[in-house]
Amino acid sequence: MSIIAVGSVKASPGVTTLSVGLAMSWAPATGRRAVLIEADGDGGVLAARFGLASAPSLLELSATARHELTIDRLHANCQMLAGQLPTLVAPGCGETTTVVLTPLAGQLAEGLGQLGDTDAVVDVGRVRPRSPAGELVKRCDLLLLVARPRFDQLVPLVHQARRMIAHDIPTVLVCVGDRPYSPTDMAKASQLSLLGVTAYEPRMAQALERGLPGNQHHRRLLLWRTLTELVRRIQFRLPAETSGREAA
Ligand SMILES: Nc1ncnc2c1ncn2[C@@H]1O[C@H](COP(=O)(O)OP(=O)(O)OP(=O)(O)O)[C@@H](O)[C@H]1O
Ligand SMILES: [Mg+2]
């Protein structure tokens, strides 16, 4: 029942890739179920990237919006990404996604918060004022702002981090790569705590497209260890009542 939103402030630092990796690592690391929601107002890429169908998607889910969002209704509109991860894809067209998502985001946030032992990793795309995924960002349990540690990403990161803090949205930073700036300096400048750093490694993106390796040897790879560690840190930051952890 936790909502973990993942978004960027500029360029394409790897939000979708990280969202897929976190959602795939979620169940093995936490013992809880995960669903991946693509709520990027610029349009979806998951269907094309992972060879899924264009429907069902957010569009089909929105057609039943007058009903409460139950786990069955959500699953009826999900597809299995890499054969293992229930995924609600966004239409490839940004305009369609924006039209569908703007009125649906609040209901999605409400429904996702009630899903028992299923947590949602939500790719909210670019985080900005009046984003169609705004209600999901506002009501998430944790927002991961993803950035490359570069000057062109630092200024918008500082600006958006200030906005998130002002709106009391629990927000942390994930850096993709560790140069030219240090991720610690990015965190200090934005006043966010640094959840972690993922390698800037094209093989990482490619590996994710083949799904989560079942075999122990592959699970020891740095990529999976990094994702598992990030999931654990996320879970640690979630409110105990929504994370499945025992309350202290
Ligand atoms: N950790 C990484 N190392 C190297 N390349 C990466 C990494 N993560 C993503 N990429 C590559 O960067 C490109 C953008 O990735 P992705 O689509 O995940 O970014 P995004 O932030 O979601 O972009 P957009 O703003 O377009 O939604 C893709 O080609 C992807 O393969
Ligand atoms: Mg993306």
Side-chain angles (χ1 to χ4, degrees):
M1 59 181 6
S2 295
I3 301 176
I4 295 90
V6 189
S8 63
V9 293
K10 179 90 179 167
S12 298
V15 170
T16 302
T17 304
L18 181 64
S19 302
V20 170
L22 291 175
M24 281 186 178
S25 310
W26 197 261
T30 67
R32 292 167 59 82
R33 289 176 227 263
V35 63
L36 175 63
I37 312 282
E38 188 173 37
D40 183 338
D42 289 331
V45 297
L46 288 177
R49 212 174 264 184
F50 287 87
L52 302 176
S54 57
S57 71
L58 278 172
L59 185 60
E60 285 67 32
L61 181 72
S62 75
T64 63
R66 63 188 182 283
H67 302 295
E68 189 192 345
L69 182 71
T70 59
I71 191 80
D72 289 345
R73 199 177 133 228
L74 180 64
H75 275 283
N77 289 284
C78 282
Q79 303 184 51
M80 281 294 176
L81 186 149
Q84 58 187 301
L85 176 65
T87 300
L88 177 62
V89 301
C93 164
E95 272 177 35
T96 306
T97 302
T98 297
V99 167
V100 165
L101 187 58
T102 304
L104 190 65
Q107 195 201 15
L108 252 180
E110 181 77 32
L112 292 174
Q114 315 284 332
L115 293 183
D117 68 346
T118 299
D119 298 314
V121 176
V122 186
D123 175 352
V124 295
R126 190 78 49 87
V127 174
R128 56 190 157 208
R130 290 177 295 283
S131 146
E135 284 297 315
L136 282 156
V137 172
K138 215 186 284 173
R139 300 199 212 172
C140 73
D141 295 288
L142 190 65
L143 168 66
L144 276 56
L145 278 182
V146 183
R148 301 280 313 278
R150 301 188 316 219
F151 187 62
D152 64 330
Q153 305 212 359
L154 177 62
V155 177
L157 175 68
V158 168
H159 184 75
Q160 285 302 344
R162 215 174 278 159
R163 203 168 69 85
M164 296 301 117
I165 292 166
H167 285 88
D168 281 331
I169 296 168
T171 306
V172 291
L173 173 67
V174 175
C175 277
V176 177
D178 57 4
R179 63 187 83 153
Y181 289 162
S182 93
T184 316
D185 288 345
M186 295 285 284
K188 220 178 273 171
S190 60
Q191 295 180 23
L192 295 176
S193 55
L194 181 65
L195 186 78
V197 180
T198 64
Y200 181 75
E201 169 56 82
R203 277 182 309 171
M204 166 166 165
Q206 287 162 12
L208 283 173
E209 288 175 27
R210 291 192 291 271
L212 184 67
N215 110 13
Q216 281 297 325
H217 169 70
H218 282 104
R219 279 179 193 245
R220 273 186 235 118
L221 289 176
L222 183 61
L223 163 66
W224 300 113
R225 284 205 310 243
T226 306
L227 290 168
T228 300
E229 180 56 29
L230 279 181
V231 168
R232 293 207 176 110
R233 291 182 192 177
I234 291 169
Q235 214 195 13
F236 184 73
R237 284 174 178 270
L238 294 174
E241 65 274 17
T242 65
S243 68
R245 282 188 292 122
E246 294 292 318

